[in-house]
PDB file of all heavy atoms in Angstrom:
ATOM      1  N   VAL A  63      -6.940 -10.130  24.310  1.00  0.00           N
ATOM      2  CA  VAL A  63      -6.445 -10.602  23.019  1.00  0.00           C
ATOM      3  C   VAL A  63      -5.869 -12.005  23.191  1.00  0.00           C
ATOM      4  O   VAL A  63      -5.113 -12.274  24.131  1.00  0.00           O
ATOM      5  CB  VAL A  63      -5.368  -9.654  22.462  1.00  0.00           C
ATOM      6  CG1 VAL A  63      -4.703 -10.265  21.223  1.00  0.00           C
ATOM      7  CG2 VAL A  63      -5.972  -8.301  22.127  1.00  0.00           C
ATOM      8  N   THR A  64      -6.226 -12.926  22.310  1.00  0.00           N
ATOM      9  CA  THR A  64      -5.667 -14.277  22.337  1.00  0.00           C
ATOM     10  C   THR A  64      -4.229 -14.208  21.847  1.00  0.00           C
ATOM     11  O   THR A  64      -3.976 -13.981  20.659  1.00  0.00           O
ATOM     12  CB  THR A  64      -6.472 -15.223  21.434  1.00  0.00           C
ATOM     13  OG1 THR A  64      -7.825 -15.247  21.892  1.00  0.00           O
ATOM     14  CG2 THR A  64      -5.892 -16.627  21.465  1.00  0.00           C
ATOM     15  N   MET A  65      -3.268 -14.404  22.760  1.00  0.00           N
ATOM     16  CA  MET A  65      -1.872 -14.196  22.408  1.00  0.00           C
ATOM     17  C   MET A  65      -1.288 -15.351  21.608  1.00  0.00           C
ATOM     18  O   MET A  65      -0.494 -15.159  20.702  1.00  0.00           O
ATOM     19  CB  MET A  65      -1.052 -13.959  23.670  1.00  0.00           C
ATOM     20  CG  MET A  65      -1.414 -12.669  24.381  1.00  0.00           C
ATOM     21  SD  MET A  65      -1.311 -11.219  23.308  1.00  0.00           S
ATOM     22  CE  MET A  65       0.413 -11.200  22.873  1.00  0.00           C
ATOM     23  N   VAL A  66      -1.646 -16.578  21.942  1.00  0.00           N
ATOM     24  CA  VAL A  66      -1.257 -17.740  21.152  1.00  0.00           C
ATOM     25  C   VAL A  66      -2.522 -18.542  20.883  1.00  0.00           C
ATOM     26  O   VAL A  66      -3.201 -18.963  21.824  1.00  0.00           O
ATOM     27  CB  VAL A  66      -0.218 -18.621  21.876  1.00  0.00           C
ATOM     28  CG1 VAL A  66       0.112 -19.856  21.023  1.00  0.00           C
ATOM     29  CG2 VAL A  66       1.050 -17.834  22.162  1.00  0.00           C
ATOM     30  N   ARG A  67      -2.861 -18.732  19.626  1.00  0.00           N
ATOM     31  CA  ARG A  67      -4.068 -19.481  19.285  1.00  0.00           C
ATOM     32  C   ARG A  67      -3.729 -20.973  19.305  1.00  0.00           C
ATOM     33  O   ARG A  67      -2.819 -21.427  18.591  1.00  0.00           O
ATOM     34  CB  ARG A  67      -4.579 -19.054  17.909  1.00  0.00           C
ATOM     35  CG  ARG A  67      -6.019 -19.456  17.643  1.00  0.00           C
ATOM     36  CD  ARG A  67      -6.588 -18.770  16.425  1.00  0.00           C
ATOM     37  NE  ARG A  67      -6.024 -19.274  15.184  1.00  0.00           N
ATOM     38  CZ  ARG A  67      -5.203 -18.591  14.410  1.00  0.00           C
ATOM     39  NH1 ARG A  67      -4.827 -17.365  14.759  1.00  0.00           N
ATOM     40  NH2 ARG A  67      -4.748 -19.109  13.291  1.00  0.00           N
ATOM     41  N   VAL A  68      -4.444 -21.732  20.117  1.00  0.00           N
ATOM     42  CA  VAL A  68      -4.168 -23.157  20.292  1.00  0.00           C
ATOM     43  C   VAL A  68      -5.381 -23.961  19.832  1.00  0.00           C
ATOM     44  O   VAL A  68      -6.508 -23.707  20.271  1.00  0.00           O
ATOM     45  CB  VAL A  68      -3.835 -23.486  21.762  1.00  0.00           C
ATOM     46  CG1 VAL A  68      -3.504 -24.968  21.911  1.00  0.00           C
ATOM     47  CG2 VAL A  68      -2.665 -22.626  22.254  1.00  0.00           C
ATOM     48  N   SER A  69      -5.152 -24.935  18.971  1.00  0.00           N
ATOM     49  CA  SER A  69      -6.242 -25.754  18.455  1.00  0.00           C
ATOM     50  C   SER A  69      -6.627 -26.834  19.456  1.00  0.00           C
ATOM     51  O   SER A  69      -5.897 -27.129  20.399  1.00  0.00           O
ATOM     52  CB  SER A  69      -5.824 -26.412  17.133  1.00  0.00           C
ATOM     53  OG  SER A  69      -4.846 -27.423  17.389  1.00  0.00           O
ATOM     54  N   GLN A  70      -7.762 -27.443  19.220  1.00  0.00           N
ATOM     55  CA  GLN A  70      -8.148 -28.631  19.977  1.00  0.00           C
ATOM     56  C   GLN A  70      -7.290 -29.813  19.523  1.00  0.00           C
ATOM     57  O   GLN A  70      -6.830 -29.883  18.386  1.00  0.00           O
ATOM     58  CB  GLN A  70      -9.627 -28.939  19.743  1.00  0.00           C
ATOM     59  CG  GLN A  70     -10.577 -27.883  20.288  1.00  0.00           C
ATOM     60  CD  GLN A  70     -10.563 -27.817  21.808  1.00  0.00           C
ATOM     61  OE1 GLN A  70     -10.466 -28.848  22.476  1.00  0.00           O
ATOM     62  NE2 GLN A  70     -10.656 -26.617  22.353  1.00  0.00           N
ATOM     63  N   ALA A  71      -7.072 -30.762  20.430  1.00  0.00           N
ATOM     64  CA  ALA A  71      -6.284 -31.946  20.083  1.00  0.00           C
ATOM     65  C   ALA A  71      -7.019 -32.787  19.042  1.00  0.00           C
ATOM     66  O   ALA A  71      -8.231 -32.972  19.118  1.00  0.00           O
ATOM     67  CB  ALA A  71      -6.002 -32.759  21.332  1.00  0.00           C
ATOM     68  N   LYS A  72      -6.269 -33.288  18.067  1.00  0.00           N
ATOM     69  CA  LYS A  72      -6.821 -34.133  17.009  1.00  0.00           C
ATOM     70  C   LYS A  72      -5.954 -35.381  16.851  1.00  0.00           C
ATOM     71  O   LYS A  72      -4.748 -35.338  17.091  1.00  0.00           O
ATOM     72  CB  LYS A  72      -6.859 -33.379  15.676  1.00  0.00           C
ATOM     73  CG  LYS A  72      -7.627 -32.082  15.689  1.00  0.00           C
ATOM     74  CD  LYS A  72      -7.486 -31.389  14.344  1.00  0.00           C
ATOM     75  CE  LYS A  72      -8.177 -30.039  14.338  1.00  0.00           C
ATOM     76  NZ  LYS A  72      -7.992 -29.333  13.036  1.00  0.00           N
ATOM     77  N   PRO A  73      -6.535 -36.478  16.406  1.00  0.00           N
ATOM     78  CA  PRO A  73      -5.713 -37.669  16.122  1.00  0.00           C
ATOM     79  C   PRO A  73      -4.941 -37.480  14.821  1.00  0.00           C
ATOM     80  O   PRO A  73      -5.441 -36.878  13.863  1.00  0.00           O
ATOM     81  CB  PRO A  73      -6.745 -38.789  16.010  1.00  0.00           C
ATOM     82  CG  PRO A  73      -8.008 -38.103  15.614  1.00  0.00           C
ATOM     83  CD  PRO A  73      -7.980 -36.743  16.255  1.00  0.00           C
ATOM     84  N   VAL A  74      -3.720 -37.996  14.796  1.00  0.00           N
ATOM     85  CA  VAL A  74      -2.939 -37.983  13.566  1.00  0.00           C
ATOM     86  C   VAL A  74      -3.558 -38.963  12.580  1.00  0.00           C
ATOM     87  O   VAL A  74      -3.950 -40.074  12.950  1.00  0.00           O
ATOM     88  CB  VAL A  74      -1.471 -38.364  13.849  1.00  0.00           C
ATOM     89  CG1 VAL A  74      -0.661 -38.394  12.546  1.00  0.00           C
ATOM     90  CG2 VAL A  74      -0.850 -37.388  14.844  1.00  0.00           C
ATOM     91  N   ALA A  75      -3.657 -38.547  11.341  1.00  0.00           N
ATOM     92  CA  ALA A  75      -4.242 -39.423  10.317  1.00  0.00           C
ATOM     93  C   ALA A  75      -3.392 -40.677  10.132  1.00  0.00           C
ATOM     94  O   ALA A  75      -2.185 -40.680  10.394  1.00  0.00           O
ATOM     95  CB  ALA A  75      -4.346 -38.669   8.990  1.00  0.00           C
ATOM     96  N   ALA A  76      -4.024 -41.754   9.670  1.00  0.00           N
ATOM     97  CA  ALA A  76      -3.329 -43.032   9.482  1.00  0.00           C
ATOM     98  C   ALA A  76      -2.173 -42.913   8.500  1.00  0.00           C
ATOM     99  O   ALA A  76      -1.199 -43.668   8.567  1.00  0.00           O
ATOM    100  CB  ALA A  76      -4.322 -44.090   9.010  1.00  0.00           C
ATOM    101  N   SER A  77      -2.261 -41.944   7.601  1.00  0.00           N
ATOM    102  CA  SER A  77      -1.180 -41.727   6.637  1.00  0.00           C
ATOM    103  C   SER A  77       0.005 -40.986   7.245  1.00  0.00           C
ATOM    104  O   SER A  77       1.062 -40.889   6.621  1.00  0.00           O
ATOM    105  CB  SER A  77      -1.713 -40.929   5.442  1.00  0.00           C
ATOM    106  OG  SER A  77      -2.136 -39.635   5.869  1.00  0.00           O
ATOM    107  N   GLY A  78      -0.200 -40.444   8.450  1.00  0.00           N
ATOM    108  CA  GLY A  78       0.844 -39.635   9.071  1.00  0.00           C
ATOM    109  C   GLY A  78       0.965 -38.251   8.477  1.00  0.00           C
ATOM    110  O   GLY A  78       1.949 -37.549   8.698  1.00  0.00           O
ATOM    111  N   SER A  79      -0.052 -37.824   7.745  1.00  0.00           N
ATOM    112  CA  SER A  79      -0.012 -36.555   7.028  1.00  0.00           C
ATOM    113  C   SER A  79      -0.748 -35.463   7.809  1.00  0.00           C
ATOM    114  O   SER A  79      -1.842 -35.686   8.328  1.00  0.00           O
ATOM    115  CB  SER A  79      -0.630 -36.719   5.637  1.00  0.00           C
ATOM    116  OG  SER A  79      -0.618 -35.500   4.938  1.00  0.00           O
ATOM    117  N   ILE A  80      -0.132 -34.296   7.883  1.00  0.00           N
ATOM    118  CA  ILE A  80      -0.756 -33.115   8.494  1.00  0.00           C
ATOM    119  C   ILE A  80      -0.593 -31.956   7.524  1.00  0.00           C
ATOM    120  O   ILE A  80       0.480 -31.732   6.966  1.00  0.00           O
ATOM    121  CB  ILE A  80      -0.104 -32.762   9.841  1.00  0.00           C
ATOM    122  CG1 ILE A  80      -0.330 -33.873  10.864  1.00  0.00           C
ATOM    123  CG2 ILE A  80      -0.656 -31.435  10.378  1.00  0.00           C
ATOM    124  CD1 ILE A  80       0.343 -33.606  12.202  1.00  0.00           C
ATOM    125  N   ARG A  81      -1.671 -31.230   7.320  1.00  0.00           N
ATOM    126  CA  ARG A  81      -1.634 -30.051   6.449  1.00  0.00           C
ATOM    127  C   ARG A  81      -1.839 -28.792   7.284  1.00  0.00           C
ATOM    128  O   ARG A  81      -2.632 -28.776   8.216  1.00  0.00           O
ATOM    129  CB  ARG A  81      -2.720 -30.137   5.369  1.00  0.00           C
ATOM    130  CG  ARG A  81      -2.547 -31.306   4.408  1.00  0.00           C
ATOM    131  CD  ARG A  81      -3.664 -31.329   3.375  1.00  0.00           C
ATOM    132  NE  ARG A  81      -3.546 -32.446   2.469  1.00  0.00           N
ATOM    133  CZ  ARG A  81      -2.843 -32.428   1.323  1.00  0.00           C
ATOM    134  NH1 ARG A  81      -2.218 -31.312   0.970  1.00  0.00           N
ATOM    135  NH2 ARG A  81      -2.794 -33.490   0.545  1.00  0.00           N
ATOM    136  N   LEU A  82      -1.114 -27.743   6.922  1.00  0.00           N
ATOM    137  CA  LEU A  82      -1.319 -26.465   7.586  1.00  0.00           C
ATOM    138  C   LEU A  82      -1.020 -25.341   6.619  1.00  0.00           C
ATOM    139  O   LEU A  82      -0.318 -25.516   5.615  1.00  0.00           O
ATOM    140  CB  LEU A  82      -0.438 -26.326   8.830  1.00  0.00           C
ATOM    141  CG  LEU A  82       1.074 -26.175   8.652  1.00  0.00           C
ATOM    142  CD1 LEU A  82       1.665 -25.416   9.831  1.00  0.00           C
ATOM    143  CD2 LEU A  82       1.742 -27.526   8.554  1.00  0.00           C
ATOM    144  N   THR A  83      -1.574 -24.174   6.921  1.00  0.00           N
ATOM    145  CA  THR A  83      -1.351 -22.967   6.139  1.00  0.00           C
ATOM    146  C   THR A  83      -0.687 -21.931   7.026  1.00  0.00           C
ATOM    147  O   THR A  83      -1.111 -21.720   8.163  1.00  0.00           O
ATOM    148  CB  THR A  83      -2.673 -22.407   5.579  1.00  0.00           C
ATOM    149  OG1 THR A  83      -3.279 -23.399   4.747  1.00  0.00           O
ATOM    150  CG2 THR A  83      -2.432 -21.152   4.775  1.00  0.00           C
ATOM    151  N   MET A  84       0.367 -21.295   6.493  1.00  0.00           N
ATOM    152  CA  MET A  84       1.066 -20.270   7.252  1.00  0.00           C
ATOM    153  C   MET A  84       1.017 -18.951   6.510  1.00  0.00           C
ATOM    154  O   MET A  84       1.074 -18.902   5.280  1.00  0.00           O
ATOM    155  CB  MET A  84       2.531 -20.664   7.486  1.00  0.00           C
ATOM    156  CG  MET A  84       2.718 -21.765   8.489  1.00  0.00           C
ATOM    157  SD  MET A  84       4.440 -21.899   9.032  1.00  0.00           S
ATOM    158  CE  MET A  84       4.644 -20.356   9.933  1.00  0.00           C
ATOM    159  N   THR A  85       0.893 -17.875   7.274  1.00  0.00           N
ATOM    160  CA  THR A  85       1.005 -16.532   6.734  1.00  0.00           C
ATOM    161  C   THR A  85       2.273 -15.898   7.275  1.00  0.00           C
ATOM    162  O   THR A  85       2.757 -16.269   8.341  1.00  0.00           O
ATOM    163  CB  THR A  85      -0.209 -15.673   7.114  1.00  0.00           C
ATOM    164  OG1 THR A  85      -0.349 -15.671   8.549  1.00  0.00           O
ATOM    165  CG2 THR A  85      -1.480 -16.222   6.493  1.00  0.00           C
ATOM    166  N   SER A  86       2.822 -14.968   6.537  1.00  0.00           N
ATOM    167  CA  SER A  86       4.071 -14.321   6.929  1.00  0.00           C
ATOM    168  C   SER A  86       3.788 -12.907   7.408  1.00  0.00           C
ATOM    169  O   SER A  86       3.020 -12.179   6.782  1.00  0.00           O
ATOM    170  CB  SER A  86       5.035 -14.273   5.744  1.00  0.00           C
ATOM    171  OG  SER A  86       6.250 -13.676   6.100  1.00  0.00           O
ATOM    172  N   PRO A  87       4.403 -12.484   8.485  1.00  0.00           N
ATOM    173  CA  PRO A  87       5.275 -13.281   9.355  1.00  0.00           C
ATOM    174  C   PRO A  87       4.445 -14.184  10.262  1.00  0.00           C
ATOM    175  O   PRO A  87       3.306 -13.873  10.572  1.00  0.00           O
ATOM    176  CB  PRO A  87       6.002 -12.225  10.175  1.00  0.00           C
ATOM    177  CG  PRO A  87       4.994 -11.117  10.290  1.00  0.00           C
ATOM    178  CD  PRO A  87       4.262 -11.093   8.968  1.00  0.00           C
ATOM    179  N   GLY A  88       5.039 -15.282  10.689  1.00  0.00           N
ATOM    180  CA  GLY A  88       4.290 -16.170  11.565  1.00  0.00           C
ATOM    181  C   GLY A  88       5.156 -17.266  12.152  1.00  0.00           C
ATOM    182  O   GLY A  88       6.216 -17.606  11.627  1.00  0.00           O
ATOM    183  N   VAL A  89       4.685 -17.803  13.264  1.00  0.00           N
ATOM    184  CA  VAL A  89       5.283 -18.968  13.900  1.00  0.00           C
ATOM    185  C   VAL A  89       4.146 -19.941  14.172  1.00  0.00           C
ATOM    186  O   VAL A  89       3.106 -19.560  14.716  1.00  0.00           O
ATOM    187  CB  VAL A  89       5.992 -18.612  15.221  1.00  0.00           C
ATOM    188  CG1 VAL A  89       6.585 -19.872  15.873  1.00  0.00           C
ATOM    189  CG2 VAL A  89       7.077 -17.564  14.999  1.00  0.00           C
ATOM    190  N   LYS A  90       4.331 -21.193  13.760  1.00  0.00           N
ATOM    191  CA  LYS A  90       3.313 -22.213  13.986  1.00  0.00           C
ATOM    192  C   LYS A  90       4.007 -23.452  14.535  1.00  0.00           C
ATOM    193  O   LYS A  90       4.982 -23.934  13.977  1.00  0.00           O
ATOM    194  CB  LYS A  90       2.564 -22.525  12.696  1.00  0.00           C
ATOM    195  CG  LYS A  90       1.404 -23.486  12.861  1.00  0.00           C
ATOM    196  CD  LYS A  90       0.479 -23.471  11.652  1.00  0.00           C
ATOM    197  CE  LYS A  90      -0.380 -22.233  11.591  1.00  0.00           C
ATOM    198  NZ  LYS A  90      -1.467 -22.330  10.580  1.00  0.00           N
ATOM    199  N   GLN A  91       3.482 -23.953  15.644  1.00  0.00           N
ATOM    200  CA  GLN A  91       4.112 -25.080  16.333  1.00  0.00           C
ATOM    201  C   GLN A  91       3.127 -26.244  16.392  1.00  0.00           C
ATOM    202  O   GLN A  91       2.002 -26.088  16.865  1.00  0.00           O
ATOM    203  CB  GLN A  91       4.529 -24.660  17.746  1.00  0.00           C
ATOM    204  CG  GLN A  91       5.370 -25.673  18.495  1.00  0.00           C
ATOM    205  CD  GLN A  91       5.836 -25.108  19.839  1.00  0.00           C
ATOM    206  OE1 GLN A  91       5.038 -24.907  20.752  1.00  0.00           O
ATOM    207  NE2 GLN A  91       7.126 -24.855  19.950  1.00  0.00           N
ATOM    208  N   ILE A  92       3.572 -27.387  15.897  1.00  0.00           N
ATOM    209  CA  ILE A  92       2.785 -28.622  15.975  1.00  0.00           C
ATOM    210  C   ILE A  92       3.420 -29.517  17.024  1.00  0.00           C
ATOM    211  O   ILE A  92       4.624 -29.797  16.977  1.00  0.00           O
ATOM    212  CB  ILE A  92       2.733 -29.341  14.618  1.00  0.00           C
ATOM    213  CG1 ILE A  92       1.950 -28.495  13.616  1.00  0.00           C
ATOM    214  CG2 ILE A  92       2.095 -30.714  14.759  1.00  0.00           C
ATOM    215  CD1 ILE A  92       1.916 -29.086  12.228  1.00  0.00           C
ATOM    216  N   ILE A  93       2.617 -29.956  17.986  1.00  0.00           N
ATOM    217  CA  ILE A  93       3.095 -30.853  19.037  1.00  0.00           C
ATOM    218  C   ILE A  93       2.288 -32.143  18.958  1.00  0.00           C
ATOM    219  O   ILE A  93       1.059 -32.128  19.045  1.00  0.00           O
ATOM    220  CB  ILE A  93       2.962 -30.216  20.429  1.00  0.00           C
ATOM    221  CG1 ILE A  93       3.784 -28.934  20.508  1.00  0.00           C
ATOM    222  CG2 ILE A  93       3.409 -31.195  21.510  1.00  0.00           C
ATOM    223  CD1 ILE A  93       3.638 -28.189  21.808  1.00  0.00           C
ATOM    224  N   VAL A  94       2.994 -33.256  18.776  1.00  0.00           N
ATOM    225  CA  VAL A  94       2.375 -34.576  18.693  1.00  0.00           C
ATOM    226  C   VAL A  94       2.755 -35.355  19.946  1.00  0.00           C
ATOM    227  O   VAL A  94       3.922 -35.358  20.355  1.00  0.00           O
ATOM    228  CB  VAL A  94       2.844 -35.348  17.442  1.00  0.00           C
ATOM    229  CG1 VAL A  94       2.077 -36.653  17.299  1.00  0.00           C
ATOM    230  CG2 VAL A  94       2.711 -34.489  16.190  1.00  0.00           C
ATOM    231  N   CYS A  95       1.780 -35.995  20.558  1.00  0.00           N
ATOM    232  CA  CYS A  95       2.019 -36.730  21.798  1.00  0.00           C
ATOM    233  C   CYS A  95       1.394 -38.117  21.683  1.00  0.00           C
ATOM    234  O   CYS A  95       0.264 -38.247  21.209  1.00  0.00           O
ATOM    235  CB  CYS A  95       1.416 -35.975  22.983  1.00  0.00           C
ATOM    236  SG  CYS A  95       1.876 -36.617  24.592  1.00  0.00           S
ATOM    237  N   ASN A  96       2.116 -39.136  22.119  1.00  0.00           N
ATOM    238  CA  ASN A  96       1.564 -40.489  22.012  1.00  0.00           C
ATOM    239  C   ASN A  96       1.867 -41.370  23.218  1.00  0.00           C
ATOM    240  O   ASN A  96       1.894 -42.587  23.113  1.00  0.00           O
ATOM    241  CB  ASN A  96       2.076 -41.178  20.744  1.00  0.00           C
ATOM    242  CG  ASN A  96       3.573 -41.466  20.789  1.00  0.00           C
ATOM    243  OD1 ASN A  96       4.251 -41.120  21.756  1.00  0.00           O
ATOM    244  ND2 ASN A  96       4.087 -42.106  19.748  1.00  0.00           N
ATOM    245  N   GLY A  97       2.077 -40.773  24.378  1.00  0.00           N
ATOM    246  CA  GLY A  97       2.366 -41.584  25.558  1.00  0.00           C
ATOM    247  C   GLY A  97       1.813 -40.958  26.821  1.00  0.00           C
ATOM    248  O   GLY A  97       1.657 -39.740  26.908  1.00  0.00           O
ATOM    249  N   ASN A  98       1.490 -41.786  27.788  1.00  0.00           N
ATOM    250  CA  ASN A  98       1.000 -41.268  29.054  1.00  0.00           C
ATOM    251  C   ASN A  98       2.127 -40.624  29.843  1.00  0.00           C
ATOM    252  O   ASN A  98       3.298 -40.960  29.689  1.00  0.00           O
ATOM    253  CB  ASN A  98       0.374 -42.395  29.879  1.00  0.00           C
ATOM    254  CG  ASN A  98      -0.881 -42.937  29.226  1.00  0.00           C
ATOM    255  OD1 ASN A  98      -1.595 -42.200  28.561  1.00  0.00           O
ATOM    256  ND2 ASN A  98      -1.134 -44.221  29.406  1.00  0.00           N
ATOM    257  N   GLU A  99       1.773 -39.707  30.702  1.00  0.00           N
ATOM    258  CA  GLU A  99       2.758 -39.053  31.556  1.00  0.00           C
ATOM    259  C   GLU A  99       2.085 -38.561  32.826  1.00  0.00           C
ATOM    260  O   GLU A  99       0.856 -38.405  32.880  1.00  0.00           O
ATOM    261  CB  GLU A  99       3.420 -37.881  30.826  1.00  0.00           C
ATOM    262  CG  GLU A  99       2.438 -36.807  30.394  1.00  0.00           C
ATOM    263  CD  GLU A  99       3.132 -35.650  29.697  1.00  0.00           C
ATOM    264  OE1 GLU A  99       4.336 -35.736  29.429  1.00  0.00           O
ATOM    265  OE2 GLU A  99       2.449 -34.659  29.446  1.00  0.00           O
ATOM    266  N   THR A 100       2.862 -38.339  33.833  1.00  0.00           N
ATOM    267  CA  THR A 100       2.345 -37.837  35.104  1.00  0.00           C
ATOM    268  C   THR A 100       2.471 -36.325  35.136  1.00  0.00           C
ATOM    269  O   THR A 100       3.550 -35.776  34.903  1.00  0.00           O
ATOM    270  CB  THR A 100       3.133 -38.447  36.283  1.00  0.00           C
ATOM    271  OG1 THR A 100       3.025 -39.869  36.230  1.00  0.00           O
ATOM    272  CG2 THR A 100       2.589 -37.930  37.600  1.00  0.00           C
TER     273      THR A 100
END
């Protein structure tokens, strides 16, 4: 069973807008990254 469903990485739109749909109960986490790291 897929315990946490993780999407493929996508670029943030130029408007800075992100849309998502949530169902209850639920937890949804958006992580945005814009810098290199080791």
Side-chain angles (χ1 to χ4, degrees):
V63 171
T64 301
M65 294 305 298
V66 178
R67 197 167 71 250
V68 182
S69 71
Q70 294 293 322
K72 303 175 183 178
V74 178
S77 63
S79 179
I80 296 178
R81 297 180 181 272
L82 70 153
T83 300
M84 287 194 67
T85 56
S86 181
V89 179
K90 185 165 286 191
Q91 188 175 69
I92 293 177
I93 300 176
V94 186
C95 190
N96 67 358
N98 294 328
E99 60 179 7
T100 301

